[in-house]
Amino acid sequence: MNTLEQAIEKLDYKGYLDVEIPKGTDLIAEINKLRKEKNAVILAHYYQSGEIQDLADYLGDSLQLARAAAKTEADMIVFCGVHFMAEAAKILNPSKKVVLPDTKAGCSLADSCSAEGLRGLREQYPNAIVVSYINCDAGVKAESDIIVTSSNAEAIINSLPEDQEIIFAPDRNLGRYLNQVCNRKMILWDGACIVHEAFSLERIAQQMADHPNAKLIAHPEAQEGLLKFAHFIGSTSRLLDYVVENDAQEFIVATEEGILHEMQKLAPNKTLIPALVQDESCNCSECFYMKLSTLEKLYLCMKYELPEIQIEEELRVKALAAINRMLDLSEKIK
């Protein structure tokens, strides 16, 4: 097994500290101890594993976690999510240490868009402003005028002048949905989330036939064909609220399966059915990247304060302007 020095040397390659943990270590107790000793805050996305969700100081979707990161007084932010989320926390907190259990926790959607590509698209449409979904890297954020999340995108788009030309990146499915509900003709970057595109309309139709009283709820990152059949479309947090507040007792949930953990806790008497994907060997849509965080990696990154997220200052300041504009515009949005 690697020594700490050897693990640090391999950190860029592996993405996490591969250090042996003594057998019998109570990881949850140690994580709680380190949280107190280091004045650390643990932020976790709803798509994380249930055991990590239960440990979090703040559990939420991208907007909720961005707000928590902006307001925290902790010395160290431990982000249990994917890389672009930890980057956003660092953009908002340059003086704080931000660590991520595994830097290989990427995002297929974020990978689909580059700063160079977005600059090229802006050159084609010089009168357009760039509105980017938060699921993008710091370089894309720096090329954007406003960042949005699925929770606040509709309200922010509607706040812009009707004649304002808009480039929307990187998610074509969310952009198409926003064009419909906001009556816009935004120019869409051709990117998508492989998790939300994995759903099978045929298999979900069968689920709806098998559960005629169930409500189909979907994230707007899903494909247009699925959204047409959904009883409710909303961000991760709004899907959660809908399940809690709606009178229905059964729900077919078309988003990453991690949300079911919190949904079941808040609505214990309701039946939650993961929407089926195209791969018939799998019964739920799981984000491989989100599940790279484990208790072992979380413990090690808190103990040794690695891997640490670093962002060049000029890039950070440019990206911050777009995030701050989002936060200013969305103050009244839950």
Side-chain angles (χ1 to χ4, degrees):
M1 182 60 67
N2 293 318
T3 65
L4 176 60
E5 292 74 18
Q6 290 171 326
I8 291 174
E9 288 178 1
K10 297 178 180 179
L11 189 55
D12 287 343
Y13 170 71
K14 287 212 163 187
Y16 65 95
L17 287 174
D18 187 11
V19 180
E20 184 175 9
I21 300 172
K23 291 183 178 180
T25 299
D26 185 336
L27 292 173
I28 293 176
E30 290 300 316
I31 289 168
N32 286 329
K33 181 181 177 182
L34 288 167
R35 172 166 31 198
K36 185 175 181 180
E37 289 177 353
K38 296 175 180 280
N39 187 29
V41 62
I42 299 175
L43 308 183
H45 195 274
Y46 287 122
Y47 297 168
Q48 292 286 291
S49 65
E51 58 188 4
I52 288 181
Q53 291 186 45
D54 292 341
L55 270 173
D57 294 292
Y58 294 96
L59 176 65
D61 63 9
S62 295
L63 177 59
Q64 292 166 328
L65 295 178
R67 284 173 169 164
K71 296 176 181 178
T72 186
E73 296 181 0
D75 296 320
M76 183 168 72
I77 298 171
V78 186
F79 214 112
C80 294
V82 292
H83 194 273
F84 77 79
M85 296 177 179
E87 268 193 341
K90 185 64 178 180
I91 290 167
L92 290 161
N93 295 277
S95 64
K96 297 182 187 299
K97 180 165 285 191
V98 178
V99 294
L100 180 68
D102 191 331
T103 57
K104 299 298 183 184
C107 171
S108 60
L109 178 56
D111 290 344
S112 73
C113 186
S114 68
E116 294 78 10
L118 197 55
R119 278 197 297 272
L121 191 58
R122 188 195 283 270
E123 289 173 2
Q124 294 179 46
Y125 301 95
N127 296 320
I129 64 170
V130 177
V131 177
S132 291
Y133 189 28
I134 198 168
N135 297 37
C136 61
D137 66 24
V140 170
K141 287 181 174 71
E143 293 296 328
S144 305
D145 297 293
I146 309 173
I147 298 300
V148 298
T149 73
S150 52
S151 291
N152 61 26
E154 183 177 345
I156 288 177
I157 296 297
N158 283 334
S159 75
L160 302 175
E162 291 184 6
D163 60 352
Q164 174 63 62
E165 195 171 32
I166 300 170
I167 295 169
F168 185 84
D171 192 290
R172 61 174 178 261
N173 293 323
L174 176 58
R176 187 183 298 115
Y177 170 75
L178 290 169
N179 273 342
Q180 292 172 352
V181 298
C182 299
N183 194 26
R184 296 276 182 160
K185 294 182 180 179
M186 297 187 295
I187 302 143
L188 306 182
W189 182 274
D190 190 20
C193 166
I194 58 173
V195 174
H196 286 96
E197 288 213 319
F199 295 110
S200 166
L201 287 178
E202 182 179 357
R203 299 182 79 198
I204 292 173
Q206 185 60 54
Q207 286 182 294
M208 295 175 72
D210 293 340
H211 303 273
N213 296 320
K215 298 286 189 181
L216 173 62
I217 62 175
H219 193 283
E221 286 183 43
Q223 291 179 299
E224 184 178 18
L226 173 58
L227 297 183
K228 287 180 178 179
F229 289 99
H231 296 97
F232 181 77
I233 302 167
S235 66
T236 310
S237 61
R238 287 180 180 165
L239 295 179
L240 183 63
D241 291 341
Y242 184 81
V243 167
V244 172
E245 296 167 3
N246 193 268
D247 290 337
Q249 295 301 301
E250 290 184 300
F251 300 86
I252 300 169
V253 184
T255 190
E256 211 277 348
E257 58 84 31
I259 188 61
L260 299 176
H261 180 74
E262 185 68 7
M263 279 184 177
Q264 202 69 79
K265 286 172 65 176
L266 296 180
N269 298 320
K270 295 189 178 182
T271 300
L272 307 176
I273 306 161
L276 293 175
V277 295
Q278 294 166 14
D279 181 357
E280 294 189 6
S281 68
C282 178
N283 287 329
C284 64
S285 185
E286 181 176 274
C287 177
F288 165 79
Y289 294 115
M290 279 287 186
K291 299 306 190 284
L292 284 178
S293 296
T294 63
L295 287 181
E296 290 79 8
K297 291 177 184 177
L298 174 55
Y299 164 69
L300 289 170
C301 91
M302 293 182 71
K303 180 177 176 66
Y304 298 111
E305 302 183 9
L306 292 170
E308 183 180 2
I309 301 297
Q310 300 280 9
I311 301 176
E312 191 273 327
E313 182 63 10
E314 183 179 356
L315 177 64
R316 188 196 69 81
V317 170
K318 288 180 179 178
L320 178 64
I323 293 177
N324 277 341
R325 191 167 181 193
M326 172 190 76
L327 293 173
D328 291 343
L329 289 170
S330 63
E331 280 185 354
K332 296 181 180 179
I333 301 173
K334 182 178 178 182

